[in-house]
Amino acid sequence: QVQLVESGGGLVQPGGSLRLSCAASGGSGFSLDYYHIFWFRQAPGKEREGVSCISSIGSSDGTTHYIDSVKGRFTISRDDAKNTVYLQMNSLKPEDTGDYYCAVNAPTYFNQVCSAYYHDMDYWGKGTLVTVSS
């Protein structure tokens, strides 16, 4: 089993920045570098949407992906030595408001990119709330 714990959410004004963290843990031999890692968000009254992902290091090349609405503003990164993933969010907009969730997919094949797997999460965190408002 993989446990994911998000942190770093809060209230920020438009144009501000936040950095979200996702701390991962598991059983013996757990290595975060094996997993594709994703950030999703869900605005009030809206469906959950994928925001960004970073591909497995153990089975792929760490390629990142962003949806168009956050491209150039958000940066996903991973520190596998600390079993932690980050989402740096800059130039935040009110429409970025929502609950942000970290999730992982356990790759089945080598040399795959995470963007192919937004539909197939194996584990989810409980979320952290980001509110962008003046």
Side-chain angles (χ1 to χ4, degrees):
Q1 304 298 307
V2 177
Q3 295 80 46
L4 303 169
V5 180
E6 303 95 335
S7 62
L11 175 64
V12 64
Q13 293 186 349
S17 297
L18 286 172
R19 188 175 76 159
L20 306 183
S21 298
C22 174
S25 61
S28 297
F30 174 78
S31 294
L32 185 61
D33 63 5
Y34 174 73
Y35 294 91
H36 300 310
I37 312 172
F38 302 75
W39 286 97
F40 288 78
R41 67 187 180 189
Q42 187 168 24
K46 303 294 184 181
E47 292 188 347
R48 185 168 56 197
E49 66 173 345
V51 175
S52 181
C53 66
I54 185 164
S55 300
S56 166
I57 300 299
S59 68
S60 191
D61 61 2
T63 301
T64 60
H65 173 263
Y66 305 89
I67 58 172
D68 287 345
S69 61
V70 309
K71 194 172 298 182
R73 300 188 297 120
F74 290 11
T75 302
I76 189 170
S77 61
R78 59 195 301 162
D79 185 346
D80 293 299
K82 296 183 179 295
N83 287 331
T84 301
V85 178
Y86 304 97
L87 185 68
Q88 178 67 46
M89 305 185 295
N90 298 326
S91 301
L92 283 162
K93 304 174 180 179
E95 52 262 46
D96 295 318
T97 293
D99 287 307
Y100 281 70
Y101 300 88
C102 177
V104 299
N105 165 271
T108 303
Y109 302 101
F110 287 100
N111 301 315
Q112 305 301 300
V113 294
C114 63
S115 57
Y117 294 97
Y118 277 107
H119 65 286
D120 188 18
M121 299 299 107
D122 294 303
Y123 300 97
W124 292 87
K126 294 182 179 180
T128 186
L129 177 62
V130 172
T131 303
V132 184
S133 177
S134 59

